[in-house]
Amino acid sequence: MELIAPVMLENAHVRLEPLSPDHADELALAAEGLEYAWYTAIPRPDEIGAEIAHRLDLRDRGVMNPWAIRSVRTGRAVGMTTFCGIDQPNRHVEVGYTWLARSAQGTEVNPAVKLAVLGHAFEACDTIAVELRTHWHNHQSRAAIARLGAKQDGVLRSHRIGPDGTLRDTVVFSIIAAEWPTVRTGLTERLRRF
């Protein structure tokens, strides 16, 4: 299967639905109260419609595959995630542009999302490497990525200019196909605790 193919992904904890404008109202509610995260690009509630349109445009151009994240426990859409940096010929992809409502942070949602998207990448799409990136100052995200079992590949210094003009150092992690069985077991065991 191609990395760009729209597909619903689900497990006992989350359902990842191909992103659509129909998710706008729920995602606007989910984005409330996330202004504290200066080091990441989470859309404000009034920007959700434009963000969905932007991600769908990138999907139509073949460079992003976006999903809305729905919690099975609450039934609500609680964030977004994507395949981005899609390199189908080299079977390489990045999982990114992920954000979660405050109510979903620290719950089963993030490990369940990663289990779904990584499983799809490695098992259905025969990917050989999945990359995850985050801001140097996003310690919460860095810790979560490391808990997955991803290895830190390095830091891209002064990699991007933020909306406020600050320079972003980007921390790059990856999981390769040979590591996926161990990562999958770790995620499965973590989810048993919820």
Side-chain angles (χ1 to χ4, degrees):
M1 177 174 285
E2 290 199 3
L3 291 160
I4 197 64
V7 61
M8 186 176 306
L9 305 174
E10 58 187 316
N11 55 41
H13 304 283
V14 295
R15 187 170 62 244
L16 277 61
E17 302 168 355
L19 186 64
S20 83
D22 294 340
H23 293 108
D25 291 341
E26 282 185 282
L27 290 172
L29 289 173
E32 290 179 359
L34 295 175
E35 296 80 17
Y36 70 91
W38 65 270
Y39 42 74
T40 190
I42 298 171
R44 292 189 324 260
D46 64 335
E47 298 171 332
I48 290 292
E51 179 65 16
I52 290 172
H54 175 67
R55 291 184 187 208
L56 294 179
D57 177 60
L58 292 173
R59 180 205 61 199
D60 293 346
R61 289 193 271 146
V63 296
M64 180 179 277
N65 190 350
W67 289 278
I69 301 166
R70 186 170 303 283
S71 165
V72 170
R73 181 174 44 83
T74 67
R76 294 190 316 249
V78 295
M80 292 189 219
T81 194
T82 76
F83 277 171
C84 53
I86 296 171
D87 183 354
Q88 188 68 50
N90 290 300
R91 297 177 13 230
H92 186 275
V93 70
E94 178 185 345
V95 172
Y97 298 93
T98 303
W99 62 268
L100 293 174
R102 287 189 92 156
S103 62
Q105 295 175 17
T107 71
E108 74 283 1
V109 171
N110 191 49
V113 167
K114 295 306 187 281
L115 184 63
V117 295
L118 291 170
H120 182 63
F122 287 116
E123 296 166 15
C125 299
D126 196 29
T127 302
I128 57 175
V130 174
E131 194 173 282
L132 301 106
R133 296 179 175 207
T134 192
H135 194 295
W136 174 265
H137 288 287
N138 192 340
H139 299 288
Q140 181 179 350
S141 179
R142 287 171 60 187
I145 293 168
R147 272 193 308 276
L148 291 173
K151 306 292 188 286
Q152 183 174 321
D153 295 326
V155 179
L156 303 174
R157 298 181 39 88
S158 296
H159 179 235
R160 291 197 178 145
I161 300 172
D164 61 357
T166 59
L167 295 176
R168 169 184 159 144
D169 290 347
T170 300
V171 186
V172 182
F173 294 84
S174 66
I175 300 167
I176 60 173
E179 297 165 340
W180 168 236
T182 302
V183 170
R184 181 181 55 222
T185 298
L187 285 168
T188 302
E189 288 303 313
R190 277 176 60 196
L191 286 167
R192 285 179 206 220
R193 294 182 223 141
F194 288 100

